[in-house]
Amino acid sequence: YTNGLVETKFNKEVTDFVRIVEVNCTKVEEENVTITIIRDGSSVDLELGSDFKVEYETLGNNWHQNTYVINPEVFSADGNYTITIKSVDGTGTIISNTSAVGDNKQEVKFTVDKTTPRVVVSGLSDKPVDAESINIVLSYEDNTAAAKIIVTVEGPDKSYTKEYVISEESLNALNGEITHVIEAQNGKQTITVQIIDEAGNVSKEFVKEVTVSTSAWVRFVNNTPVLIATISGAALVVLAAIIIPIIIAKKKKKNNDQ
């Protein structure tokens, strides 16, 4: 399980005990073990019993195996974790998983991230746009790192989905923003944008309708406020054309009766 945390690097949560094994030529007494957790630069020493325990096993040829079992609740908060284990064996030798050399050096680092990222979209107009295409800018807010941004476009002429795989290098080159092109279509297009971070957290969908067209008619029928105003105005004209002759006719009849 511990290898999986390290290899995955970004994890939504730690759900099982973190187990780290030390093999030594002498037995290490538990009171001679110090486990330090560093989270985002701040360190704390764990408490024996509540935070961790030590399991002992005697191997062949007088070798001893010590397994350090760390409570998963220690890693309940989001952050970048480093585990350092320091022990003093029966000969008085101080051993650490991070200060050892060669294959004996075993750094244990991983990230816990259960925070939902937020996608930010700019460049979409509330009014129809007279253009062959427009550029929208995609960026995000996340406490660790994003993995990909997914853009889905549904329109009368075509629909598609495009994924932008995010890397630190690519975002640095683009100043932290990605540009996506929305091409003109003969009607409204629904734009949906979502982001997924490295831990697998999925953002809330950003959804917006946009009209991009060089056709004046397409822009007109998809401009709701203008269309409503036009229809309302036309309705008033028709209503007036019906009511006014009736009023005139009634007045004439009244005058004739007198």
Side-chain angles (χ1 to χ4, degrees):
Y1 180 77
T2 305
N3 287 338
L5 290 175
V6 175
E7 291 171 2
T8 302
K9 187 176 179 180
F10 294 95
N11 307 270
K12 281 188 178 182
E13 58 183 338
V14 177
T15 59
D16 202 351
F17 291 95
V18 174
R19 307 172 72 89
I20 301 173
V21 176
E22 174 189 343
V23 176
N24 202 304
C25 60
T26 64
K27 183 178 179 181
V28 177
E29 301 296 337
E30 59 184 20
E31 60 268 20
N32 292 328
V33 177
T34 302
I35 299 181
T36 303
I37 301 296
I38 302 173
R39 180 173 70 88
D40 295 337
S42 298
S43 63
V44 61
D45 291 340
L46 300 187
E47 294 290 334
L48 178 63
S50 59
D51 295 331
F52 77 96
K53 65 180 180 178
V54 183
E55 296 177 349
Y56 299 102
E57 182 179 352
T58 302
L59 306 177
N61 298 320
N62 293 321
W63 283 88
H64 301 265
Q65 177 175 295
N66 312 304
T67 302
Y68 307 109
V69 185
I70 305 173
N71 192 327
E73 293 180 2
V74 169
F75 311 101
S76 60
D78 282 12
N80 300 301
Y81 287 89
T82 300
I83 303 174
T84 301
I85 299 176
K86 184 173 68 175
S87 62
V88 182
D89 67 14
T91 66
T93 302
I94 299 174
I95 304 166
S96 171
N97 64 308
T98 57
S99 62
V101 295
D103 294 338
N104 293 322
K105 184 175 182 178
Q106 299 292 330
E107 291 188 335
V108 182
K109 296 182 177 182
F110 57 87
T111 298
V112 175
D113 174 19
K114 50 182 175 290
T115 301
T116 301
R118 189 174 79 91
V119 67
V120 180
V121 182
S122 58
L124 287 174
S125 175
D126 293 327
K127 298 179 180 179
V129 180
D130 181 6
E132 293 286 350
S133 64
I134 62 171
N135 292 336
I136 64 173
V137 177
L138 314 173
S139 57
Y140 70 94
E141 296 174 1
D142 190 43
N143 61 329
T144 53
K148 59 184 176 181
I149 293 179
I150 304 171
V151 181
T152 301
V153 177
E154 297 177 85
D157 300 337
K158 65 176 180 179
S159 300
Y160 62 90
T161 297
K162 183 169 183 177
E163 291 188 1
Y164 292 94
V165 178
I166 300 172
S167 67
E168 185 175 349
E169 293 78 11
S170 66
L171 281 182
N172 286 338
L174 297 169
N175 295 319
E177 298 176 338
I178 294 173
T179 299
H180 179 80
V181 179
I182 303 294
E183 297 178 346
Q185 294 197 42
N186 291 312
K188 282 186 178 180
Q189 302 178 59
T190 301
I191 315 299
T192 304
V193 184
Q194 254 188 329
I195 185 171
I196 301 174
D197 68 16
E198 290 284 7
N201 300 298
V202 182
S203 72
K204 182 180 178 180
E205 286 186 342
F206 171 93
V207 182
K208 188 176 180 66
E209 288 187 333
V210 63
T211 300
V212 181
S213 177
T214 56
S215 167
W217 173 250
V218 170
R219 296 196 306 275
F220 170 73
V221 297
N222 287 284
N223 192 345
T224 302
V226 174
L227 186 61
I228 290 174
T230 302
I231 293 173
S232 299
L236 288 173
V237 170
V238 172
L239 188 61
I242 295 172
I243 293 175
I244 291 173
I246 293 174
I247 294 174
I248 293 173
K250 285 185 176 181
K251 282 187 176 182
K252 284 183 178 181
K253 185 177 183 301
K254 184 178 180 180
N255 290 337
N256 291 336
D257 290 344
Q258 290 177 349

